[in-house]
Amino acid sequence: MSKKEDIYKDDFIKELIKDVELEDPSAQFTNRVMDMVMQDWLAKPIEMKKPISRNQWIWISGLILLVVLILLGTDVRTLISSAENPFLHQLDAVLLQPINQVLTKVFDSLIKLPVMVYIVAVSFGGLAAFDRIVNKLLHH
């Protein structure tokens, strides 16, 4: 369609609606429309579901903590490096050794922190738990 045809169509539409008068809605129009919207919303409320529930987060973090404890506590690297399997040597070199180094550095840096940092962290955690408990008691 050419631009010239668009201009003619625009003029044609303007000619058709030039005599049409706009009507003002009644004074209660907005209230009625909003009432209908609210009735529809109340009849079918929108439910939002969290992608991962709290129990799933607890299980995931527990599993991660268990893996970290196993990797640090049993020194899996020593067990795997003593095996004569080339796949296990590759696994040790590619995965376990870097993880062990990172975890060791993290725990070494955590040990060097002053005790006051741990006291403050535990205090904040306790206050957050207390706030959550009090809010649940007040809202039920």
Side-chain angles (χ1 to χ4, degrees):
M1 191 179 307
S2 71
K3 193 164 186 121
K4 195 172 193 177
E5 290 176 10
D6 285 343
I7 292 172
Y8 291 128
K9 284 185 180 182
D10 191 37
D11 290 338
F12 176 71
I13 292 171
K14 284 181 183 178
E15 185 68 31
L16 281 176
I17 63 171
K18 75 176 181 183
D19 295 330
V20 177
E21 293 182 21
L22 294 177
E23 295 180 17
D24 290 329
S26 67
Q28 295 298 318
F29 176 76
T30 304
N31 290 338
R32 281 186 278 148
V33 169
M34 290 308 294
D35 285 343
M36 290 188 320
V37 168
M38 286 301 292
Q39 292 299 324
D40 185 48
W41 182 76
L42 289 173
K44 298 179 262 175
I46 299 171
E47 294 181 13
M48 300 278 296
K49 185 175 180 188
K50 295 178 184 175
I52 298 179
S53 70
R54 179 177 298 158
N55 286 340
Q56 290 172 334
W57 277 116
I58 290 171
W59 279 103
I60 291 170
S61 56
L63 184 64
I64 290 171
L65 181 66
L66 180 66
V67 168
V68 167
L69 289 175
I70 289 172
L71 285 174
L72 288 177
T74 61
D75 199 12
V76 174
R77 288 193 55 242
T78 307
L79 297 172
I80 288 181
S81 62
S82 66
E84 295 298 325
N85 189 333
F87 172 74
L88 293 178
H89 286 290
Q90 183 86 14
L91 179 69
D92 179 46
V94 172
L95 184 67
L96 295 177
Q97 187 177 7
I99 289 175
N100 193 332
Q101 289 174 352
V102 167
L103 290 175
T104 304
K105 287 179 184 177
V106 166
F107 282 108
D108 285 342
S109 64
L110 287 175
I111 289 171
K112 293 177 184 174
L113 286 175
V115 175
M116 188 55 115
V117 173
Y118 296 112
I119 292 172
V120 169
V122 169
S123 300
F124 278 136
L127 285 173
F130 178 74
D131 180 57
R132 186 175 188 104
I133 291 169
V134 168
N135 277 333
K136 282 194 175 196
L137 290 175
L138 289 177
H139 293 304
H140 286 318

